[in-house]
């Protein structure tokens, strides 16, 4: 499912509709958040997830645990992005009312993400996350860190200090694609006169149309430039000094608090649900990959067993009938790997269906196999080994086809899908390199036959 449609679906789950009574929004939002929290717990407690997969995705599971704790605490996480020196850290500190994030004049002051509670709104659970500049010199690593933070943030504040550069606009588009609500903060607004500031804000709103709502494009001054002040004492003596004005972030703070009050829990629940959905997909893909690796080893084991059994059986045709039992046993084992156990009878019927389709597709190959089976009893010396190896290789190849076709059936939930068995088996045949499989099979079987003969 596309991320935007999943976002809308989750939003509909936890966000109240305009027709709800005044008392309903909080109840419905709380109910939706609880359902998302229950989903996160279910994912964390899922006993069917193999330990190896949990270990491989340990960082992601830890992040889910963090999101669940955040959801239960009712926190809203706000990521602050922007160019180096646009004033991201300073803006965060101004919102917090203290020096939570390092601020410096050199590029790259913020080298890793940090977070701190918003002092004036601890009861609303606002958490600011500062990030490295998007144009750091060693940009890839730090930019990747910044976007990792965006993935777990509920809201993004993008900081600029003038008209947007192409790099800034591209970054905004990337952030908008995450479906997180975006605010654009024009920092260092004290550098502009009133008319110039109004014109610049209008210009920015036009440039980010479709990415940021006009009401969410705001001016701020995290570290206003020092002003020259002249004091005159009672004797008329003038004293000149510099005074740093207080930060001007009131409009941005009020906007953040309003968003938190209106839909903070909704945003947090949606973000957690989206991340959990992606992790679930990762877990499913990793489990499928692990199963396929185990199934590949199992199929190869049965290929070798069947190939050698067919090659050693001196009775023409009978070897082919006896080897069918190995295919049925293999399919039973495959069904257990994929968590859809088949009885021996069900396995036999599945092998019969696959073999019938293979016979229809590959009649010439089965004819060659019968001839080779007859030749085994009429040859002598090394030619017996060579012919037996060729015979066993065809048995090996048939087992590969049966195993892969059975896998397709099991992965489909014991179903061939809309196209049916004929199409599925034909696709398997077309996808495998017959010559390389037969070459490997002949080599392995001949090696075993020579070893046993010696």
């Amino acid at each position: 499912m596309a991320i935007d449609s999943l976002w809308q679906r989750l939003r509909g789950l936890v966000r109240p509709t305009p027709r709800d009574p005044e008392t309903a929004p909080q109840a419905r939002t709380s109910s939706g958040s609880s359902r998302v929290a229950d989903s996160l717990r279910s994912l964390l407690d899922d006993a069917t997830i193999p330990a190896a997969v949990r270990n491989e995705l340990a960082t992601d599971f830890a992040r889910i645990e963090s999101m669940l704790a955040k959801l239960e605490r009712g926190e809203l996480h706000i990521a602050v992005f922007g160019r180096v020196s646009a004033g991201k850290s300073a803006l965060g500190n101004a919102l917090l009312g203290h020096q939570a994030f390092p601020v410096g004049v050199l590029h790259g002051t913020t080298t890793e993400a940090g977070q701190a509670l918003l002092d004036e709104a601890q009861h609303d659970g606002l958490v600011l996350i500062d990030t490295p500049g998007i144009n750091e010199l060693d940009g890839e690593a730090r930019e990747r860190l910044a976007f990792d933070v965006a993935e777990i943030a509920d809201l993004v504040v993008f900081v600029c200090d003038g008209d947007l550069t192409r790099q800034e606009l591209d970054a905004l588009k990337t952030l908008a694609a995450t479906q997180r609500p975006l605010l654009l903060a024009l920092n260092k607004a004290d550098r502009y006169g009133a008319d110039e500031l109004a014109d610049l804000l209008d210009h920015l709103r036009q440039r980010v149309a479709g990415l940021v709502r006009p009401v969410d494009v705001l001016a701020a001054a995290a570290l206003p430039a020092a002003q020259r002040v002249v004091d005159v004492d009672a004797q008329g003596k003038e004293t000149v000094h510099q005074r740093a004005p207080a930060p001007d972030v009131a409009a941005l703070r009020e906007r953040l608090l309003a968003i938190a009050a209106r839909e903070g829990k909704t945003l947090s629940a949606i973000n957690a649900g989206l991340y959990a959905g992606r992790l679930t997909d990762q877990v499913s893909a990793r489990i499928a990959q692990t199963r396929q690796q185990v199934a590949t080893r199992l199929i190869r084991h049965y290929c070798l067993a069947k190939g050698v059994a067919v090659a050693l059986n001196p009775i023409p045709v009978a070897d082919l009938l006896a080897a069918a039992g190995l295919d049925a046993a293999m399919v039973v084992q495959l069904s257990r790997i994929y968590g859809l156990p088949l009885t021996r009878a069900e396995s036999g019927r599945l092998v019969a269906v696959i073999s019938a389709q293979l016979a229809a597709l590959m009649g010439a190959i089965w004819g060659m196999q019968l001839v080779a089976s007859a030749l085994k009893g009429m040859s002598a010396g090394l030619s017996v080994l060579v012919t037996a190896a060729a015979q066993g290789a065809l048995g090996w190849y048939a087992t590969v086809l049966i195993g892969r076709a059975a896998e397709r059936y099991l992965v489909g939930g014991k179903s061939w899908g809309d196209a049916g068995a004929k199409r599925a088996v034909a696709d398997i045949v077309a996808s495998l390199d017959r010559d390389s499989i037969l070459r490997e099979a002949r080599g392995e079987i001949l090696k075993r036959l020579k070893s046993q003969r010696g």
Side-chain angles (χ1 to χ4, degrees), residues 330-389:
M330 175 186 67
V331 171
V332 168
Q333 295 298 318
L334 284 173
S335 71
R336 291 172 182 168
I337 290 172
Y338 284 96
L340 296 168
L342 295 173
T343 65
R344 190 60 181 261
E346 289 173 324
S347 174
R349 287 194 292 271
L350 180 57
V351 170
V353 169
I354 297 171
S355 297
Q357 297 303 325
L358 288 173
L361 285 166
M362 305 165 62
I365 288 180
W366 301 127
M368 288 171 57
Q369 196 169 24
L370 290 172
V371 171
S373 182
L375 285 174
K376 275 197 305 180
M378 299 168 58
S379 303
L382 183 61
S383 63
V384 173
L385 293 183
V386 173
T387 306

Side-chain angles (χ1 to χ4, degrees), residues 95 183 185 215-221 247-258:
L95 289 168
L183 280 76
V215 68
D216 290 329
V217 179
L218 303 159
D248 182 6
V249 293
L252 180 59
R253 179 189 285 114
E254 289 172 9
R255 184 65 185 148
L256 292 174
L257 293 176

Side-chain angles (χ1 to χ4, degrees), residues 58-74:
T59 301
D60 298 286
F61 276 99
R63 186 171 285 180
I64 288 291
E65 289 180 356
S66 174
M67 285 182 162
L68 178 58
K70 178 185 78 171
L71 199 57
E72 291 173 340
R73 291 192 300 266

Side-chain angles (χ1 to χ4, degrees), residues 17 34 38 51-52 79 89 117 124 168 171 173 181 187 222 250 263 265-266 274 291 320 329 347 352 360 449:
T17 61
S34 296
D38 289 342
S89 300
L117 286 172
D124 286 319
E168 288 174 316
K173 290 176 180 177
N187 194 25
E263 56 179 346
K265 288 185 178 180
T266 299
L274 285 170
R291 283 174 169 168
L320 301 180
S347 174
L449 291 178

Side-chain angles (χ1 to χ4, degrees), residues 43-44 46-62 278-294:
L43 178 58
L44 291 172
D46 190 346
T48 65
I49 299 174
V53 174
R54 281 189 179 276
N55 291 336
E56 184 177 335
L57 300 174
T59 301
D60 298 286
F61 276 99
R278 285 192 292 273
L279 179 56
T280 299
D281 291 342
Q282 283 182 280
V283 168
S284 299
R286 191 65 191 88
I287 290 175
Q289 184 182 4
T290 300
R291 283 174 169 168
Q292 188 175 43
Q293 290 169 350
V294 174

